[in-house]
Amino acid sequence: MQKLCAALLAAASCASVAHAQAGPPAPITQAGPIYSLDQAVVAAGGSAPSTSAATAAIEAARAGRTVAGLRPNPVFQGQIENITGSGPYRGVRAAETTVGFAIPIELGGKRSARVGVANAQLSRAEIQAAIIAADVRLQVTQLYVEAVAAERRVTTARDQARIAGDALRAASVRVQAGRASPLEQQRADVARINAEANVERQLRLSDAARANLARRIGQPIDGRLDETLLDRLPDAAAYGPAAPVRTVGTLALAAADADFSIADAGVRLARANRVPDINVGPALRRLEATNDTAAVFTVSIPIPVFNNGRAAIAQATAQRTQADALRRVTALDIEQAITDAQAQAANAATTARAASGPALAAAQEAARIARIGYREGKFGQLELLDAERTLAETRVAAIDALANYQNARAQVERLTAPAPVGGNQ
């Protein structure tokens, strides 16, 4: 054990040199061009059912705006008087027939108020489409990162299986030369078997991750994934003192603002609906008794006795108050979420930078020294196995740390995604 400690100390002293030489494991060799993350996002956006639903919602909102701007239809009216009575009014001899139209005239700005509500609903639908697009990008990014990490775990597992095979051959040579007990060869064989089984497990997980990504984007993946995605880390200086979080312009706050705009437009519509409309229209009346024709002009005004619109205004006002409160709550929640996500991304970057840098370099150097020492008889097999296990765990930890950073960065981008710019007024 003292020899192993000496090897680890030597590895630590050589870590800076080894880090310059050590890099990520070689990617899995596959034919075809690189299938990038952006290509996957575009493919997923075109095939996602949620995207189709968002597009249909925008079309419905546009149609609703058209409907809101339409004027009321005129009403055809027909009336027959003085029929089936008594005396001279028996039968239809004295019938008076009136035919005309009634044209509703909206007062109080109802039409413009309806259009205002429809415009606010259209803006909300467009923001919701942007939210869905951002969610799709986040989901595809997470699946893509997992697929890349799974392939890198396969590469690491194959490398460890190769190292275990080399260790088995070295143990066999030592046993045949009488320098070691046959137990060492058995231990090395067990390590090789476990390493090969781990390769099979990692291959299945990699195939599953790739299949999940292909299923999400709605098409098979042609070519290799971008292995360099995991290694894109920010500079250490990029994470200094935390800057004030600004939620203005983010999708979440824009959605809350749009909900408030809808509620505010609803108050204006409720107030406009309090003003009674009038129906006016010309008509012609035919007098059966004299066979003469006369013009008639009708005017009708509803009397707001039972429903004067106050309850509707109270309801709309309460809904606007609720939307305003929810908007303030959303602003606080999104600030907290962005702050937490930025801290997680910064911590993930620090962990990834250490795990894939000095820690990995030290583990590689320790394993290299342990292999040399074992072949030369300076270290025992237990020290070698411990160093190899530490290297394997450090490699996997580095892959996990890199994947965690990419996922954290994607989450920050999702929370700070800008709302679409444009108006529908």
Short mmCIF file of all heavy atoms in Angstrom, two decimals, residues 145-146 149 153 230 398-408:
data_model
loop_
_atom_site.label_atom_id
_atom_site.label_comp_id
_atom_site.label_asym_id
_atom_site.label_seq_id
_atom_site.Cartn_x
_atom_site.Cartn_y
_atom_site.Cartn_z
N VAL A 145 -27.26 15.20 -25.50
CA VAL A 145 -26.14 15.13 -24.56
C VAL A 145 -26.04 13.73 -23.97
O VAL A 145 -24.94 13.17 -23.83
CB VAL A 145 -26.31 16.19 -23.45
CG1 VAL A 145 -25.34 15.94 -22.30
CG2 VAL A 145 -26.10 17.58 -24.02
N GLU A 146 -27.18 13.13 -23.62
CA GLU A 146 -27.15 11.79 -23.05
C GLU A 146 -26.64 10.77 -24.08
O GLU A 146 -25.90 9.85 -23.72
CB GLU A 146 -28.55 11.40 -22.58
CG GLU A 146 -28.66 9.98 -22.03
CD GLU A 146 -27.69 9.70 -20.91
OE1 GLU A 146 -27.34 10.63 -20.15
OE2 GLU A 146 -27.24 8.54 -20.79
N ALA A 149 -22.88 11.29 -24.31
CA ALA A 149 -22.24 10.78 -23.10
C ALA A 149 -22.27 9.25 -23.08
O ALA A 149 -21.30 8.61 -22.67
CB ALA A 149 -22.94 11.33 -21.87
N ARG A 153 -19.14 6.75 -22.85
CA ARG A 153 -19.02 5.71 -21.83
C ARG A 153 -18.69 4.37 -22.47
O ARG A 153 -17.97 3.55 -21.89
CB ARG A 153 -20.32 5.61 -21.03
CG ARG A 153 -20.61 6.82 -20.15
CD ARG A 153 -21.80 6.58 -19.25
NE ARG A 153 -22.24 7.80 -18.61
CZ ARG A 153 -23.27 8.52 -19.01
NH1 ARG A 153 -23.99 8.12 -20.06
NH2 ARG A 153 -23.61 9.63 -18.39
N LEU A 230 -19.52 17.75 -25.54
CA LEU A 230 -19.29 17.62 -24.10
C LEU A 230 -18.09 18.43 -23.63
O LEU A 230 -18.03 18.85 -22.47
CB LEU A 230 -19.07 16.15 -23.73
CG LEU A 230 -20.30 15.23 -23.79
CD1 LEU A 230 -19.92 13.85 -23.27
CD2 LEU A 230 -21.46 15.80 -23.01
N ALA A 398 -15.95 12.06 -14.98
CA ALA A 398 -15.69 13.19 -15.87
C ALA A 398 -16.76 13.30 -16.95
O ALA A 398 -17.24 14.40 -17.27
CB ALA A 398 -14.31 13.03 -16.52
N ILE A 399 -17.17 12.17 -17.51
CA ILE A 399 -18.24 12.18 -18.52
C ILE A 399 -19.54 12.69 -17.92
O ILE A 399 -20.23 13.53 -18.51
CB ILE A 399 -18.43 10.77 -19.11
CG1 ILE A 399 -17.17 10.34 -19.87
CG2 ILE A 399 -19.64 10.73 -20.03
CD1 ILE A 399 -17.19 8.90 -20.32
N ASP A 400 -19.87 12.20 -16.72
CA ASP A 400 -21.10 12.66 -16.06
C ASP A 400 -21.04 14.15 -15.76
O ASP A 400 -22.04 14.87 -15.92
CB ASP A 400 -21.32 11.87 -14.77
CG ASP A 400 -21.62 10.40 -15.03
OD1 ASP A 400 -22.00 10.07 -16.17
OD2 ASP A 400 -21.47 9.59 -14.10
N ALA A 401 -19.88 14.63 -15.32
CA ALA A 401 -19.75 16.05 -14.99
C ALA A 401 -19.90 16.91 -16.24
O ALA A 401 -20.56 17.96 -16.22
CB ALA A 401 -18.41 16.31 -14.32
N LEU A 402 -19.30 16.48 -17.34
CA LEU A 402 -19.43 17.23 -18.60
C LEU A 402 -20.88 17.26 -19.07
O LEU A 402 -21.39 18.29 -19.53
CB LEU A 402 -18.53 16.63 -19.66
CG LEU A 402 -17.01 16.78 -19.44
CD1 LEU A 402 -16.25 15.92 -20.43
CD2 LEU A 402 -16.60 18.25 -19.60
N ALA A 403 -21.55 16.10 -18.97
CA ALA A 403 -22.96 16.04 -19.38
C ALA A 403 -23.83 16.91 -18.47
O ALA A 403 -24.75 17.60 -18.95
CB ALA A 403 -23.45 14.60 -19.36
N ASN A 404 -23.54 16.89 -17.17
CA ASN A 404 -24.32 17.72 -16.25
C ASN A 404 -24.16 19.21 -16.57
O ASN A 404 -25.13 19.98 -16.48
CB ASN A 404 -23.88 17.46 -14.80
CG ASN A 404 -24.31 16.08 -14.32
OD1 ASN A 404 -25.25 15.50 -14.85
ND2 ASN A 404 -23.63 15.55 -13.33
N TYR A 405 -22.96 19.61 -16.94
CA TYR A 405 -22.77 21.02 -17.29
C TYR A 405 -23.57 21.39 -18.53
O TYR A 405 -24.21 22.44 -18.58
CB TYR A 405 -21.30 21.35 -17.52
CG TYR A 405 -21.14 22.69 -18.19
CD1 TYR A 405 -21.38 23.87 -17.50
CD2 TYR A 405 -20.80 22.78 -19.55
CE1 TYR A 405 -21.30 25.11 -18.13
CE2 TYR A 405 -20.71 24.02 -20.17
CZ TYR A 405 -20.96 25.17 -19.46
OH TYR A 405 -20.88 26.38 -20.08
N GLN A 406 -23.51 20.55 -19.56
CA GLN A 406 -24.25 20.86 -20.78
C GLN A 406 -25.75 20.93 -20.52
O GLN A 406 -26.44 21.80 -21.06
CB GLN A 406 -23.94 19.81 -21.86
CG GLN A 406 -22.49 19.76 -22.30
CD GLN A 406 -22.01 21.07 -22.89
OE1 GLN A 406 -22.79 21.84 -23.43
NE2 GLN A 406 -20.72 21.33 -22.79
N ASN A 407 -26.26 20.04 -19.67
CA ASN A 407 -27.68 20.09 -19.33
C ASN A 407 -28.01 21.34 -18.52
O ASN A 407 -29.06 21.96 -18.72
CB ASN A 407 -28.08 18.83 -18.56
CG ASN A 407 -28.14 17.60 -19.44
OD1 ASN A 407 -28.45 17.69 -20.63
ND2 ASN A 407 -27.83 16.45 -18.88
N ALA A 408 -27.13 21.71 -17.60
CA ALA A 408 -27.36 22.92 -16.80
C ALA A 408 -27.32 24.15 -17.68
O ALA A 408 -28.12 25.08 -17.52
CB ALA A 408 -26.32 23.01 -15.68
#
